[in-house]
Amino acid sequence: MALLGKKTRKTVAPNIVTKPSSVPISAKYLTITDGYSTAHFKRLGYKNCPNIEHQSRAPHKEFRSNQNIIDMNRWDFVMEMYDIISKMEKRQRTKLNIFNALISLVELCDEEEVFSFFSEVAIKLFVNHLKARYSKGVKGKTLQGIQTSIKAIIIELNEPKKNELIELFYPFPNDTNPIKPYTDQEVKTLVQNLYKIVSTYRKHLLESSIPKKFPLYDESKLISSKVPDNYTRTSWNKKISTRNNSDTWKQDLVRAGYYLMCFFTGINNKQLLELKISDITTNQFIESSRGTYILSTIKNRQ
């Protein structure tokens, strides 16, 4: 039991914070990604939504050079859009599509000096812009998808007239053509080309050499067929290697081999994709017949 003594301790009143302090989040941290593409919301804060330099090695991507970067002082709007889109119960890929549609809307409004992006003026302007694209040959299904993305944002807004805004959108027709199956001759050509890619790259891989050109590259045919200027030797060389990836051709070897395998398995690739290194024995491939090999596994699953 503690002894009672003189009260010599000081009583300190608790320091109660009535209002929590908030630290603003920098716009450079406002991103959404699906693992392949990334939406940088800071683009919305500048006039005409300048593009990001994807080749940058900085921790946070910077804008591409030779762009006029003008701060429009609309960071509250940027934060609101990030909050709305990031909290949507949708797949990440869908969120990226919504962001890209929003970029198109903001770019158009900046060009026409319309400062309220979800006003009647802005939506009418945007719909007319999409109609003009449709008249130039853009598929109605594509434009309808862009409208659906903007609608998804409007629905989440605290806008009393959002129903009236949604009614301003135009019902573009679903004018996409159904995908037709390959003909027998097309399938034969595909398989022949895949074999050529695999056999050519396989030889380089075994010899530890680097191919000088893409196996299907035929400059004489390109010249005679009068293809666009972007089909140059330089662009085709990127199939071998790029500045950031010297093994592009090896990736194409794997892709071609996989597609070739699909022709023989009917794309029934579940067992192959679930195969683990521990499932494979130390035995080499067994050639059961000409061109057909069997891989021995622990589970006797060929």
Side-chain angles (χ1 to χ4, degrees), residues 76-127:
D76 289 340
F77 166 76
V78 176
M79 292 292 296
E80 182 185 15
M81 291 299 101
Y82 175 78
D83 188 60
I84 287 176
I85 297 177
S86 63
K87 292 181 179 179
M88 287 180 175
E89 295 184 359
K90 300 181 183 295
R91 296 185 301 112
Q92 293 297 98
R93 181 67 254 176
T94 303
K95 293 179 182 180
L96 291 177
N97 291 338
I98 293 173
F99 171 79
N100 291 331
L102 177 61
I103 287 288
S104 299
L105 172 63
V106 174
E107 284 179 331
L108 180 63
C109 288
D110 282 346
E111 183 179 339
E112 300 295 331
E113 298 186 349
V114 176
F115 302 105
S116 181
F117 304 124
F118 297 104
S119 62
E120 181 177 345
V121 174
I123 298 302
K124 284 184 176 180
L125 180 69
F126 189 63
V127 171

Side-chain angles (χ1 to χ4, degrees), residues 7-8 67 74-75 77 109 137 190 211 227-228 230 234 241 269 278 282:
K7 294 183 178 180
T8 57
Q67 293 184 111
R74 53 192 181 207
W75 299 107
F77 166 76
C109 288
L190 281 172
V227 295
N230 59 325
T234 302
S241 63
N269 56 9
S278 59
T282 56

Side-chain angles (χ1 to χ4, degrees), residues 251-267:
Q251 295 174 355
D252 281 344
L253 170 61
V254 175
R255 292 189 186 100
Y258 172 77
Y259 292 142
L260 195 58
M261 180 273 301
C262 289
F263 277 101
F264 292 97
T265 63
I267 320 183

Side-chain angles (χ1 to χ4, degrees), residues 193-240:
N193 287 335
L194 288 172
Y195 264 119
K196 186 173 183 179
I197 294 173
V198 171
S199 60
T200 302
Y201 283 164
R202 171 182 174 275
K203 182 179 180 181
H204 284 286
L205 189 66
L206 294 175
E207 295 177 352
S208 298
S209 58
I210 299 176
K212 296 185 180 298
K213 66 178 183 178
F214 185 64
L216 304 181
Y217 179 75
D218 190 330
E219 192 165 357
S220 60
K221 288 184 178 180
L222 291 175
I223 294 174
S224 61
S225 59
K226 298 180 180 180
V227 295
D229 293 338
N230 59 325
Y231 284 87
T232 61
R233 180 182 291 275
T234 302
S235 62
W236 277 82
N237 284 342
K238 291 180 180 179
K239 293 181 176 294
I240 304 299

